[in-house]
Amino acid sequence: LKRNSRPKFSEVFDGLSNTIMFAESAGRPFVYRKRGPVLSSDLTAARVNGGGWCRPASEITISGSDRSGVNFPGPIVINATNGENVAGSPFPHPFYGTFGSSAIFGFHPGGAHVAIGDGSARFLNEGMQTREFAKLVTRDGGELMLSNF
């Protein structure tokens, strides 16, 4: 869905039950990797661009990272990190600008929660690949939400 748009339910051609609308990204603005903080309190040394869900720059990227959660883009989209570390970068950020640099991350073993367009919630396995996840956030790609994610 386009940023700052007001799409209608009828424009989600894959069906609301097959489309992810929101995803969990715990721990922001602090940087977490593999369920541990990079630094616990020094936001000048490690931070993602963004904070809580209602704050500016709360977008979540689906570019994924490597397994370490350090290098972007990559094949791991869930629980490698809660976002790219942008501390020390100029503002606006050269790549993200004023948008968020967060990633899908939950303090749960094995995955993270997402909200589906029909109002339900699903727990997605952290083994899901970036390309597979990306299919589930499109509104008209023809992909189906399978229960084994």
Side-chain angles (χ1 to χ4, degrees):
L1 302 174
K2 292 180 181 177
R3 182 176 173 83
N4 295 326
S5 66
R6 292 185 176 185
K8 298 177 177 87
F9 288 152
S10 61
E11 294 177 285
V12 183
F13 300 116
D14 288 349
L16 295 173
S17 63
N18 293 312
T19 305
I20 294 171
M21 300 301 249
F22 301 99
E24 183 175 19
S25 185
R28 299 179 301 178
F30 303 101
V31 176
Y32 279 80
R33 295 189 185 123
K34 301 283 185 186
R35 290 179 197 75
V38 171
L39 293 171
S40 61
S41 63
D42 186 359
L43 291 177
T44 63
R47 68 175 177 81
V48 298
N49 198 31
W53 67 270
C54 62
R55 293 182 56 195
S58 62
E59 295 88 359
I60 296 174
T61 65
I62 57 170
S63 59
S65 70
D66 64 0
R67 290 197 187 282
S68 71
V70 175
N71 301 301
F72 291 79
I76 310 300
V77 73
I78 299 172
N79 278 359
T81 182
N82 70 337
E84 187 169 355
N85 184 358
V86 297
S89 298
F91 185 83
H93 190 273
F95 177 74
Y96 295 108
T98 59
F99 296 117
S101 65
S102 301
I104 299 159
F105 189 81
F107 293 126
H108 319 289
H113 292 100
V114 296
I116 308 303
D118 65 1
S120 65
R122 305 272 173 91
F123 186 77
L124 298 185
N125 186 302
E126 65 188 26
M128 177 180 279
Q129 297 289 301
T130 301
R131 290 182 186 269
E132 293 305 310
F133 181 86
K135 292 176 183 179
L136 301 176
V137 297
T138 66
R139 64 179 177 84
D140 61 358
E143 303 89 5
L144 298 178
M145 172 71 71
L146 301 175
S147 61
N148 64 348
F149 284 129

